Amino acid sequence: MTHYIYLVRHGEHQDAEYGLEDGPLSGKGQRQAAAIADRLSGLTFDAVWHSPLERASETAKYVAERLPAVDPQPHALLFDCVPTGMTEETPGTFEPFFGSYSEAEIEAGGAQMADATAEFLVRRNEEVHELLITHNFVISWFVREVLEAPEWRWMTLNQAHCGLTVIAQKPGRPWTLLTHNDLGHLPHELRTGLPDENPI
């Protein structure tokens, strides 16, 4: 019996280029969401959770259209967040990134991700398939946690819009990263969201 968690970053949203925090999916984001929904349509999910932010909620609606048996639910632990600030191990090149976040925001992000991993990375005694539609940094934190990497390494992991990451745990074994940022369902023109040069 294996516990599978499918992690999907939301589709591109309309206001991303204007620096706004949230907004509906862009036309390209809608196509991305439809593509990941088609990719997942052959699976049977026990639960589908999504960030309450609009871009993730709308992505979840596309999945629900193709999997009518599922009822996606918002989950506060999947909000976009910054899980850590600078640590002693964090390379100095990352320091400018944290200038736009307050200590309170970073502290809240760390608490959120501690609760999220405690809630979702729970050993199950049955076959379970869960889908989490969330944000880049949240997925990075889950992957870092599964790999037991130093905390700051979440900053070196990135997911494209509607990229698919799968983690799993078999009884008596640690969590395993099965696939990371799989984009096989997206044509080249829909592969957005990855940095060109900046590792953030």
Side-chain angles (χ1 to χ4, degrees), residues 22-35:
D22 200 16
L25 295 180
S26 65
K28 186 172 288 187
Q30 292 171 5
R31 293 170 62 198
Q32 293 164 341

Side-chain angles (χ1 to χ4, degrees), residues 24-176:
L25 295 180
S26 65
K28 186 172 288 187
Q30 292 171 5
R31 293 170 62 198
Q32 293 164 341
I36 187 64
D38 286 341
R39 173 75 180 273
L40 298 172
S41 62
L43 297 172
T44 300
F45 289 103
D46 299 284
V48 178
W49 304 99
H50 62 86
S51 161
L53 292 178
E54 185 175 4
R55 55 192 186 268
S57 298
E58 192 171 337
T59 302
K61 290 178 182 178
Y62 277 84
V63 172
E65 287 175 0
R66 285 159 176 76
L67 286 86
V70 306
D71 181 22
Q73 295 295 315
H75 201 301
L77 293 179
L78 299 178
F79 260 116
D80 200 5
C81 70
V82 174
T84 68
M86 288 289 291
T87 71
E88 292 183 358
E89 297 179 291
T90 309
T93 186
F94 291 104
E95 189 167 3
F97 167 78
F98 295 104
S100 58
Y101 296 95
S102 68
E103 290 186 13
E105 288 174 314
I106 292 171
E107 183 177 347
Q112 174 188 319
M113 291 318 301
D115 289 345
T117 53
E119 176 158 337
F120 289 107
L121 299 184
V122 177
R123 188 177 302 277
R124 305 291 183 90
N125 295 319
E126 56 186 344
E127 187 87 3
V128 177
H129 294 260
E130 294 180 298
L131 172 60
L132 310 183
I133 300 171
T134 181
H135 304 275
N136 189 26
F137 295 164
V138 174
I139 297 172
S140 296
W141 187 262
F142 272 102
V143 173
R144 183 217 61 80
E145 185 79 11
V146 166
L147 296 178
E148 298 182 350
E151 286 193 351
W152 70 272
R153 291 306 299 267
W154 67 270
M155 302 185 69
T156 65
L157 297 163
N158 286 282
Q159 289 70 221
H161 292 120
C162 289
L164 175 63
T165 294
V166 184
I167 59 177
Q169 184 187 52
K170 293 180 180 294
R173 299 185 184 183
W175 281 92
T176 302

